[in-house]
């Protein structure tokens, strides 16, 4: 019997984009269901009753939640294609550490570049660049975070790039000017069709964010 795969998602979500890239890397066919996060579907509430958040991968009727867990699940279930996580236990642990770092540090600092202003925004920009510099240090002179091959850390980090136009416009800064090595890595990732097709246009994301900033009284 063929696998039935459904993804509950929201188009600009960097966490949902991770899952879309992972599914594309594995060549998995799936049904995409866009969620209205202001009016969440009964299916989303049924499949993720604890957090009530996207993304949710539904595989043969069974839900898997939280993007790092979903990506690892995809890697374990569809083993016939190139592995996303390293086979070596230590390297796999390191990859998980850096994805955890991205989720804890990158998300909060980047979000504050467009949800705050004044001194709070300046502090957020400083923290954002500290995170990027730390990631640049971990990347070193390697093409990708795991070495020569695109993998779990790359896949987990690159979705943030479609938000960079928003961060830069709202925060009035240039990532490339401050972190050229990071942007060189971005360009390598974008050469992959699985990545280029999954990332929405940065200006479209900015239009979406501008509406939210108006609601927050920031514009």
């Amino acid at each position: 019997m063929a696998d039935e795969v459904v993804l509950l998602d929201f188009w600009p979500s960097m966490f949902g984009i991770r899952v879309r890239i992972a599914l594309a890397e594995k060549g998995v066919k799936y049904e995409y269901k866009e969620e209205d996060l202001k009016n969440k579907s009964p299916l989303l509430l049924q499949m993720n009753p604890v957090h009530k958040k996207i993304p949710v991968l539904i595989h043969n009727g069974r839900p898997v939640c939280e993007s790092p867990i979903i990506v690892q699940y995809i890697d374990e279930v569809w083993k016939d294609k190139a592995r996303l996580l390293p086979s070596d236990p230590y390297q796999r642990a390191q990859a998980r550490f850096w994805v955890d770092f991205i989720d804890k540090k990158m998300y909060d600092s980047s979000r504050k570049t467009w949800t705050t202003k004044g001194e709070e925004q300046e502090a957020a920009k400083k923290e954002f660049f500290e995170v990027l510099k730390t990631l640049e240090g971990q990347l070193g002179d390697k093409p990708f975070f795991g070495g020569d091959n695109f993998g779990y850390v790359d896949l987990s980090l690159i979705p943030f790039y479609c938000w960079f136009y928003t961060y830069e416009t709202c925060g009035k800064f240039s990532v490339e000017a401050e972190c050229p090595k990071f942007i060189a890595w971005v360009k390598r990732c974008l050469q992959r069709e699985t990545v280029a097709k999954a990332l929405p246009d940065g200006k479209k994301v900015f239009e979406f964010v501008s509406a939210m900033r108006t609601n927050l009284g920031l514009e």
Side-chain angles (χ1 to χ4, degrees), residues 120-155:
E120 197 177 352
Q121 187 185 48
E122 289 305 311
K125 283 156 62 173
K126 183 171 180 285
E127 186 185 353
F128 177 64
F129 278 114
E130 284 172 359
V131 170
L132 289 185
K133 295 283 187 187
T134 300
L135 288 166
E136 274 193 329
Q138 174 61 17
L139 178 64
D141 294 322
K142 304 186 297 290
F144 298 103
F145 281 90
D148 291 333
N149 298 315
F150 179 85
Y152 181 50
V153 179
D154 307 287
L155 177 152

Side-chain angles (χ1 to χ4, degrees), residues 127-183:
E127 186 185 353
F128 177 64
F129 278 114
E130 284 172 359
V131 170
L132 289 185
K133 295 283 187 187
T134 300
L135 288 166
E136 274 193 329
Q138 174 61 17
L139 178 64
D141 294 322
K142 304 186 297 290
F144 298 103
F145 281 90
D148 291 333
N149 298 315
F150 179 85
Y152 181 50
V153 179
D154 307 287
L155 177 152
S156 300
L157 180 57
I158 192 61
F160 283 86
Y161 180 67
C162 66
W163 285 73
F164 273 32
Y165 181 79
T166 294
Y167 306 155
E168 292 176 320
T169 304
C170 296
K172 298 180 175 58
F173 59 77
S174 164
V175 174
E176 188 159 26
E178 296 284 338
C179 302
K181 189 183 285 187
F182 187 89
I183 296 300

Side-chain angles (χ1 to χ4, degrees), residues 23-41:
L23 290 167
E25 286 284 332
K26 295 287 188 174
V28 178
K29 289 184 168 58
Y30 64 97
E31 180 186 355
Y32 178 91
K33 289 191 175 182
E34 180 78 4
E35 283 288 331
D36 176 358
L37 299 187
K38 290 180 181 175
N39 184 24
K40 296 173 182 177
S41 73

Side-chain angles (χ1 to χ4, degrees), residues 37-140:
L37 299 187
K38 290 180 181 175
N39 184 24
K40 296 173 182 177
S41 73
L43 182 62
L44 174 60
L45 299 177
Q46 176 194 345
M47 291 294 169
N48 191 0
V50 176
H51 294 305
K52 304 177 178 64
K53 291 179 179 178
I54 55 92
V56 179
L57 185 81
I58 307 169
H59 183 207
N60 295 331
R62 300 189 300 178
V64 185
C65 306
E66 298 293 299
S67 66
I69 295 167
I70 297 171
V71 171
Q72 292 178 55
Y73 176 83
I74 290 168
D75 199 34
E76 290 169 9
V77 171
W78 289 279
K79 294 179 180 178
D80 53 326
K81 293 285 176 75
R83 295 303 295 263
L84 300 171
L85 276 88
S87 56
D88 177 76
Y90 178 76
Q91 289 179 355
R92 197 158 60 243
Q94 289 301 300
R96 287 173 173 146
F97 171 86
W98 285 106
V99 171
D100 186 63
F101 174 84
I102 291 161
D103 286 353
K104 286 176 178 168
K105 297 291 188 179
M106 179 82 165
Y107 178 71
D108 283 345
S109 63
S110 62
R111 193 172 191 278
K112 286 175 186 171
T113 64
W114 63 268
T115 57
T116 60
K117 51 187 177 180
E119 287 182 12
E120 197 177 352
Q121 187 185 48
E122 289 305 311
K125 283 156 62 173
K126 183 171 180 285
E127 186 185 353
F128 177 64
F129 278 114
E130 284 172 359
V131 170
L132 289 185
K133 295 283 187 187
T134 300
L135 288 166
E136 274 193 329
Q138 174 61 17
L139 178 64

